[in-house]
Amino acid sequence: DDPEFVRRMNSIREYSETVGFLEEAGGAWESGLVEQLASIAKLEQQQGNHIGAIEAFDRALHINRISSGLHTLAQIPLVEEMISSYLALGDWQQVDLMNNYLFFVQHKAFGTNDPRIIPALERLADWNMQAFNIGYGESLGVRLSSVQILLRAAVGMVGTHFGRGDERFERYLRNLALSGYQASRYPDYAVEVDNPQFRTKQELLRDQLNAGGSVFPQGFSIGVAALLELVDYYEKSSSSVYSTAEVIAHLGDWHLIFDRRRSAEGHYRRAWDMLAAEENGEELIQKLFGQVVPLPTFLHEPRNLELKTGVSLSRESLKYDYADISLDVIETGSTRNVQLLTEGTEENTEMLLRLRREVRASKFRPLIEEG
């Protein structure tokens, strides 16, 4: 009864008839089939038929590679659409394979020094971080290693070709710090990279991208380096005192996360003094320091409470919910008196207890008064 559904089905039928005519005239590998098959696949996606969409995209991809070459850039939109459908199906293995294939094609076409490779670096880093967060893959330590190698390369490329004022520069540095935070939470995963098979692969990736640095996931050091780079940029380029004070406060947050309280206090004091010198200093101070803030401030995705290496999770098995918790934050940023306010049931009690342990181990920026 849905008019849009009927319209799409009619369009699929029409495109399918055109495919039949083209096959009759030019054979199964007729290059003109690519556009028709891609149109069918997109309509199937809109219908929610991702298996049908993948079949059509896959055939279009094979025809494209036969007619235009194995490493043609024309296949990139087809691969990206296939990834979207595999994500919708929760088929992480295919998402992983296709993301790596997509990067291979772009790296082969652009090389290491062409700025057109930057989005490919970002996309593969994002996927590896996502795979880490859901616990997909044989070695989660290798995921973090790849994230850091790819982002170091991306930061260098953006700085070289577009300058530190490019909006991606700040985003990549924050993502580097985020990867360092995850590496610090799961230090045992770093050992996995020492497996000769994994280490050789990571060293090859690092050298191919001229990324420099260690192939072992870094924790505190990579985060502090990224945030110091941001502070330096804001101090030299930003006209906003508040923005500069904010990135200095983030540097203080980073030290607080790692229990380096004296350094954290020094950065907080510096940010406080900057704002206090402004005409509307009290207002700015309240905005930055007048409330408790969960750390790190740039972590926006939910934390996975069941992170296990080598566990293949279907999309359906990824569960989330909300709970109310009361807690006190003490001056060191640690928590005390953590209490569950949401009533436990037979189904959620175990997860609520994990959540309570997670909150107890978390750090917050405490209220800051008089510096």
Side-chain angles (χ1 to χ4, degrees):
D1 295 335
D2 182 355
E4 191 61 25
F5 179 86
V6 173
R7 184 194 67 77
R8 285 195 292 259
M9 290 303 296
N10 287 334
S11 297
I12 289 172
R13 195 175 301 112
E14 291 170 6
Y15 281 121
S16 297
E17 289 174 0
T18 305
V19 165
F21 295 143
L22 288 171
E23 285 177 326
E24 219 174 287
W29 306 109
E30 162 63 41
S31 61
L33 289 168
V34 173
E35 184 178 348
Q36 305 301 317
L37 288 166
S39 297
I40 291 173
K42 288 178 182 177
L43 288 166
E44 294 285 17
Q45 273 185 334
Q46 293 167 14
Q47 299 289 64
N49 180 15
H50 291 285
I51 293 175
I54 288 167
E55 289 174 355
F57 278 130
D58 190 50
R59 189 176 170 203
L61 181 62
H62 282 297
I63 296 171
N64 184 275
R65 293 176 72 195
I66 287 170
S67 61
S68 303
L70 291 177
H71 305 123
T72 172
L73 292 174
Q75 66 187 296
I76 289 176
L78 298 173
V79 176
E80 289 175 339
E81 292 290 354
M82 288 178 73
I83 291 172
S84 296
S85 282
Y86 280 125
L87 277 169
L89 293 171
D91 189 339
W92 312 128
Q93 182 179 16
Q94 286 300 322
V95 173
D96 195 37
L97 289 170
M98 298 302 282
N99 268 303
N100 281 287
Y101 174 70
L102 187 63
F103 181 76
F104 167 77
V105 169
Q106 292 172 293
H107 187 251
K108 192 166 186 66
F110 301 137
T112 299
N113 299 316
D114 190 317
R116 287 177 294 178
I117 197 64
I118 296 173
L121 295 167
E122 180 181 10
R123 178 168 190 141
L124 189 57
D126 286 348
W127 160 244
N128 275 285
M129 196 73 249
Q130 185 180 354
F132 176 86
N133 287 333
I134 64 174
Y136 175 75
E138 293 180 10
S139 172
L140 299 184
V142 173
R143 294 287 183 193
L144 285 179
S145 169
S146 296
V147 169
Q148 294 187 354
I149 290 170
L150 291 160
L151 286 176
R152 287 202 306 265
V155 167
M157 289 283 286
V158 168
T160 298
H161 293 282
F162 302 100
R164 298 197 300 177
D166 188 284
E167 57 90 18
R168 293 170 295 183
F169 186 76
E170 179 171 350
R171 184 169 75 248
Y172 295 166
L173 285 173
R174 291 193 186 281
N175 286 343
L176 260 178
L178 180 55
S179 73
Y181 172 72
Q182 296 288 33
S184 71
R185 293 182 72 218
Y186 303 99
D188 292 346
Y189 290 156
V191 179
E192 299 169 353
V193 183
D194 211 19
N195 178 306
Q197 174 191 352
F198 292 142
R199 184 168 184 168
T200 300
K201 176 186 171 186
Q202 296 308 102
E203 287 174 345
L204 180 62
L205 178 65
R206 176 195 62 190
D207 296 343
Q208 281 180 334
L209 299 178
N210 299 323
S214 173
V215 296
F216 292 92
Q218 305 296 297
F220 174 79
S221 61
I222 201 166
V224 80
L227 294 170
L228 279 170
E229 180 83 8
L230 275 179
V231 169
D232 181 69
Y233 168 68
Y234 270 83
E235 286 183 327
K236 291 178 179 176
S237 308
S238 178
S239 58
S240 168
V241 172
Y242 181 83
S243 295
T244 304
E246 186 176 35
V247 295
I248 293 172
H250 290 164
L251 185 57
D253 295 339
W254 190 255
H255 283 84
L256 191 63
I257 289 170
F258 290 89
D259 291 319
R260 302 179 183 225
R261 294 196 288 271
R262 184 170 296 179
S263 296
E265 288 173 9
H267 294 303
Y268 289 148
R269 166 61 74 176
R270 183 176 166 208
W272 175 284
D273 290 342
M274 288 179 64
L275 298 178
E278 294 296 293
E279 187 175 339
N280 58 338
E282 279 301 318
E283 177 188 342
L284 296 176
I285 285 170
Q286 280 302 307
K287 182 179 177 183
L288 186 57
F289 293 125
Q291 58 281 321
V292 168
V293 180
L295 302 180
T297 54
F298 40 81
L299 180 63
H300 303 299
E301 297 297 319
R303 296 183 190 176
N304 186 349
L305 301 185
E306 297 185 284
L307 193 59
K308 298 174 185 175
T309 186
V311 177
S312 294
L313 297 170
S314 67
R315 192 176 185 86
E316 291 71 27
S317 69
L318 297 174
K319 300 176 181 177
Y320 69 92
D321 208 338
Y322 299 89
D324 292 322
I325 286 182
S326 121
L327 64 143
D328 296 330
V329 175
I330 63 174
E331 62 181 4
T332 62
S334 299
T335 63
R336 295 289 186 273
N337 304 322
V338 178
Q339 296 180 21
L340 289 167
L341 304 181
T342 296
E343 186 176 348
T345 66
E346 189 175 334
E347 292 78 22
N348 71 11
T349 294
E350 183 183 351
M351 191 60 71
L352 285 173
L353 291 175
R354 287 183 189 172
L355 176 61
R356 185 172 181 271
R357 288 196 295 270
E358 181 79 11
V359 173
R360 285 180 64 182
S362 297
K363 283 294 182 74
F364 293 77
R365 182 196 300 157
L367 294 174
I368 299 178
E369 298 176 353
E370 300 304 322

